[in-house]
Amino acid sequence: MATTVRRAVLTLPAAPLGPENPLPVLRPLDETHVIDERSRALLPRDMARQAGYQPLRTLLPVRVLDGYGRERAQTDLDAIVIENDRLRATVLPGLGGRVHSLFHKPSGRELLYRNPVFQPADFALNGAWFSGGLEWNIGATGHTALSCAPLHAAVVPAPDGGDMVRLWEWERLRDLPFQVDLWLPADSDFLYVGVRIRNPHERTVPTYWWSNIAVPEDEGTRVLAPADEAWHFGYERRLRRVPVPESHGDGIDRTYPLRGEFPADYFYEVPEGARKWIASLDADGRGLVQTSTDLLRGRKLFLWGAGRGGRRWQQWLTEPGTPGYAEIQAGLARTQLEHVPLEAGAEFSWLEAYGPLAADPGAVHGEDWAAARAEAGARLEDALPRARVEAAYEAWRPYADHEPGESLATGSGWGALEVVRAALVLPGTPFDEATLGEQQLPWLELERSGTFPASREVTLPGPSLVAPHWRDMLETAPAEPLTEYHLGVAQWHAGDVAQAVRSWERGLELASARWPLLRCLAVADREAGNSGRAADHYAEAFDDLLRQERADGEGQERADGEAWTAATAALGREAIAALLAAQRPEAARAVWEGLLPAVRESGRFRLVEAQLLVAEGDREGARALFDAGFEVPDLREGAEVLGEVWAAVAGDEPLPEAYDYRMRPAAE
């Protein structure tokens, strides 16, 4: 059959994403992929330099997605299907362009781990992420902020004369446009993926990319890559070089993901000049292989391990009774702890290929590691020669600039705003002005008139933009309260804390809605170590928010009620934490009482209530909450808060399995 591209609908049990958290992310990232200084001092010079190269201070201008729950209902998801007579790839353009499925027809095998549900969890840089399939991680260390965001998608000509699917968006953490082109040559067993990241700015920009492939996992699964060493990174945040396959001197071969106990990353040290590939093969020597042109140099295995915490996380991300998975990955740097400089006006581009691999199981699972990886490498060369990948890349490059044809999906309007602002010309990735939406329009008005528009109604402030151009525009705009709020956020992002505080304080003088400014000042106080003043500002901010939320009158339902509820919950959660840190449990209880009953009854606030009860000295009440059971939908990857609160409640009593998400040994 000829290669086809068509729209489809994928129906899954899915938890709704919920609204964005409207509070700007001012505090440092709670990111697990950070190495301690002892480890950095021992790294090769280029790795150490890239590991310390412009890490994110905040998530700005991106907003957090934390409004999801764990109640799932059958939901229709827009999909794009790319199919030839050998493979069928199913892509979800509304969820980061995730390849949900890669099905090999001749063998009847699903090559990826296909999650049977859509269940967000707090693994992405900005919160909501979901497991399974093949995802495109761009921006900064961690899962991309676009994990659950819509991308633009369209049909474009493929190098072989057929059709391919282009996905593209504007990545906002680094302000970089990127594209992912997917196609299936006729009669090919491999999905080809051309990727391009462009830097349209007049400055060098830190860049990050890792393609993340979830693969099925069982006792016989082995991951192979052309390396004898790897960089091991565990959740104790240390990075060290280890041998492969027995990496810890304990006789355990961790190229079998289920033989380790705790979750860990293994970044393979692929020799320069060697072909870049990684494969996951089952007990019969069959599975998936990924290879690429040489620019994509890094290869990684992430394993959940066989310990209780890792197994619990796997159940959390899907549903009990489903098979487990591991992740094999490919990236621009040797490790995911690094950012790579992309010079002004330059681009990174490469080609990846994904397909089935069958190798001799005796060799693949033998004790001789060199023979095992040599067998997998040889079978890859038989199935897809390295020269063919290089030729496919060269054939694709002229097509990267082809303008898209039939539209398949629409992403955000942020790219269109930047194209308008800077008069950018980006062949192949049009950001049409028609995609500008409600969040972009105030900034378009600022660009065109020099004034940031003030709302005539009681509304929540929209997202802040923080790039130097927008900061300069805000500094010269009339000093209205909303303008001062956004200006302070941009100044804070730039590291000018004192000026940010002054802007927020100026805004307070005339603001009718004071809580957004008070909350920003509270964060500044807390970061400065002034817990008492932070608590004062938080309490005042929460009271003012309740007044604003009810501005339409008691008992009247607002059209934007979901967003206001999200703001109240987010600010209440922060305020209670700050008040408890300042040892003011009575004031924290007052904030608690101001929350809606439905908010207080949610799992995330059951944990808050337990912390509040402990602070009030009611350990029995806190214990009763644990005994009754609750789930925290946005429990952060690597978070240990459940164990910490349990210890305050139950002392040395073992942590119940339902609350055990520990990702590192207790002694660490």
Side-chain angles (χ1 to χ4, degrees):
M1 63 177 289
T3 300
T4 61
V5 173
R6 58 184 170 86
R7 291 186 177 91
V9 173
L10 177 69
T11 303
L12 291 177
L17 273 175
E20 293 180 328
N21 185 326
L23 306 184
V25 191
L26 301 177
R27 300 194 69 190
L29 298 175
D30 181 18
E31 172 52 46
T32 59
H33 299 93
V34 177
I35 55 176
D36 62 19
E37 291 303 319
R38 291 178 300 166
S39 296
R40 185 175 298 175
L42 300 175
L43 297 180
R45 184 173 300 176
D46 63 329
M47 283 182 65
R49 181 174 60 252
Q50 291 184 167
Y53 177 46
Q54 293 192 31
L56 295 179
R57 289 187 63 253
T58 74
L59 274 179
L60 295 165
V62 172
R63 284 179 153 185
V64 166
L65 284 171
D66 60 2
Y68 50 86
R70 292 191 57 80
E71 293 185 2
R72 299 189 287 264
Q74 290 295 115
T75 304
D76 291 341
L77 303 175
D78 290 335
I80 301 168
V81 175
I82 313 166
E83 187 170 11
N84 66 8
D85 60 349
R86 311 288 294 177
L87 284 174
R88 181 171 61 246
T90 303
V91 182
L92 303 178
L95 293 169
R98 182 80 57 101
V99 179
H100 174 74
S101 168
L102 186 61
F103 183 76
H104 186 236
K105 297 179 183 181
S107 64
R109 294 172 64 92
E110 173 60 53
L111 300 180
L112 302 173
Y113 167 72
R114 184 176 57 190
N115 198 331
V117 304
F118 171 70
Q119 177 55 64
D122 193 1
F123 278 65
L125 286 168
N126 64 328
W129 174 85
F130 64 106
S131 66
L134 166 57
E135 64 174 315
W136 320 110
N137 288 303
I138 183 173
T141 53
H143 290 284
T144 178
L146 294 166
S147 291
C148 294
L151 303 189
H152 301 282
V155 177
V156 292
D160 64 350
D163 289 334
M164 65 181 174
V165 171
R166 174 162 301 156
L167 306 167
W168 74 98
E169 236 322 338
W170 188 274
E171 200 289 309
R172 301 179 64 213
L173 292 174
R174 301 302 193 184
D175 272 334
L176 295 176
F178 72 97
Q179 70 189 76
V180 178
D181 290 352
L182 306 101
W183 77 101
L184 289 171
D187 302 321
S188 174
D189 281 306
F190 284 82
L191 173 68
Y192 286 0
V193 181
V195 182
R196 177 166 66 167
I197 306 171
R198 284 184 278 191
N199 178 6
H201 307 294
E202 297 179 353
R203 66 185 189 281
T204 300
V205 176
T207 311
Y208 176 92
W209 182 278
W210 281 81
S211 301
N212 183 7
I213 312 121
V215 289
E217 167 198 72
D218 59 28
E219 294 290 345
T221 300
R222 192 177 204 187
V223 171
L224 301 106
D228 293 316
E229 292 184 307
W231 294 91
H232 168 260
F233 180 76
Y235 284 78
E236 67 275 14
R237 301 191 175 186
R238 292 205 301 270
L239 184 68
R240 57 193 178 95
R241 193 193 295 255
V242 298
V244 176
E246 295 180 7
S247 53
H248 295 268
D250 54 9
I252 298 175
D253 183 346
R254 286 179 174 79
T255 62
Y256 292 89
L258 283 176
R259 294 187 183 178
E261 182 178 1
F262 290 96
D265 297 328
Y266 292 90
F267 300 101
Y268 294 111
E269 187 67 49
V270 179
E272 187 173 353
R275 184 174 185 180
K276 308 301 186 286
W277 61 270
I278 189 167
S280 173
L281 304 180
D282 64 14
D284 296 324
R286 299 160 69 87
L288 176 138
V289 65
Q290 187 271 359
T291 187
S292 71
T293 49
D294 287 354
L295 182 67
L296 205 66
R297 65 174 296 186
R299 293 298 184 277
K300 169 193 164 182
L301 162 65
F302 169 76
L303 55 88
W304 284 107
R308 196 167 78 167
R311 295 298 94 193
R312 181 73 179 118
W313 272 115
Q314 292 233 36
Q315 295 169 5
W316 185 254
L317 293 168
T318 176
E319 58 185 5
T322 55
Y325 74 95
E327 293 173 357
I328 57 175
Q329 304 188 21
L332 280 174
R334 279 186 284 188
T335 75
Q336 287 179 326
L337 310 170
E338 304 169 66
H339 298 119
V340 181
L342 179 57
E343 295 181 357
E347 66 178 51
F348 287 141
S349 65
W350 63 89
L351 186 126
E352 305 179 45
Y354 298 83
L357 189 67
D360 175 24
V364 164
H365 296 287
E367 294 184 2
D368 186 335
W369 169 248
R373 59 183 178 80
E375 165 65 13
R379 299 292 74 76
L380 169 61
E381 188 66 19
D382 292 341
L384 185 66
R386 185 177 187 180
R388 190 183 302 169
V389 175
E390 297 289 345
Y393 170 71
E394 294 300 331
W396 165 72
R397 284 295 291 119
Y399 288 80
D401 283 344
H402 266 268
E403 291 304 310
E406 178 191 358
S407 176
L408 299 172
T410 303
S412 79
W414 295 113
L417 180 65
E418 292 304 316
V419 166
V420 169
R421 177 193 68 78
L424 298 177
V425 178
L426 299 169
T429 54
F431 293 96
D432 197 297
E433 197 166 338
T435 62
L436 291 167
E438 182 180 352
Q439 292 188 336
Q440 293 84 41
L441 291 179
W443 298 94
L444 184 64
E445 177 67 20
L446 174 64
E447 175 68 22
R448 289 176 170 170
S449 72
T451 299
F452 196 90
S455 175
R456 297 178 181 178
E457 301 175 354
V458 177
T459 61
L460 298 169
S464 298
L465 296 185
V466 296
H469 170 83
W470 297 111
R471 187 172 70 245
D472 292 344
M473 292 292 295
L474 290 165
E475 286 176 346
T476 58
E480 298 295 332
L482 186 57
T483 305
E484 296 289 359
Y485 162 78
H486 287 301
L487 174 58
V489 173
Q491 291 164 332
W492 177 274
H493 176 74
D496 192 348
V497 174
Q499 190 58 56
V501 169
R502 283 193 288 272
S503 295
W504 292 326
E505 289 176 339
R506 282 197 306 269
L508 274 178
E509 295 174 5
L510 297 175
S512 57
R514 296 167 54 84
W515 69 267
L517 296 151
L518 288 166
R519 183 264 176 176
C520 290
L521 291 170
V523 174
D525 289 329
R526 194 164 185 185
E527 288 298 294
N530 192 337
S531 60
R533 186 175 171 86
D536 290 340
H537 276 139
Y538 265 121
E540 186 179 354
F542 188 76
D543 287 344
D544 186 67
L545 173 57
L546 292 185
R547 286 193 294 272
Q548 295 294 325
E549 184 181 10
R550 296 162 183 162
D552 284 349
E554 288 292 335
Q556 295 187 25
E557 184 175 349
R558 303 179 60 107
D560 55 354
E562 186 182 43
W564 280 93
T565 298
T568 306
L571 183 58
R573 202 173 182 184
E574 288 187 13
I576 290 171
L579 289 161
L580 292 181
Q583 298 183 349
R584 300 183 190 175
E586 290 184 4
R589 175 61 69 179
V591 172
W592 170 265
E593 296 296 340
L595 296 168
L596 291 173
V599 171
R600 294 199 301 262
E601 292 166 6
S602 66
R604 54 176 59 89
F605 277 89
R606 287 300 188 198
L607 177 60
V608 172
E609 184 180 12
Q611 294 169 310
L612 181 55
L613 289 167
V614 169
E616 293 171 333
D618 186 1
R619 284 176 169 77
E620 289 185 3
R623 174 62 184 263
L625 290 175
F626 276 91
D627 290 343
F630 60 86
E631 294 181 323
V632 183
D634 60 335
L635 185 68
R636 183 67 174 165
E637 176 190 10
E640 299 177 350
V641 62
L642 285 170
E644 293 165 356
V645 178
W646 173 259
V649 170
D652 295 332
E653 190 174 336
L655 181 65
E657 184 173 355
Y659 303 110
D660 190 352
Y661 295 87
R662 289 173 291 193
M663 302 179 79
R664 61 175 179 164
E668 293 288 356

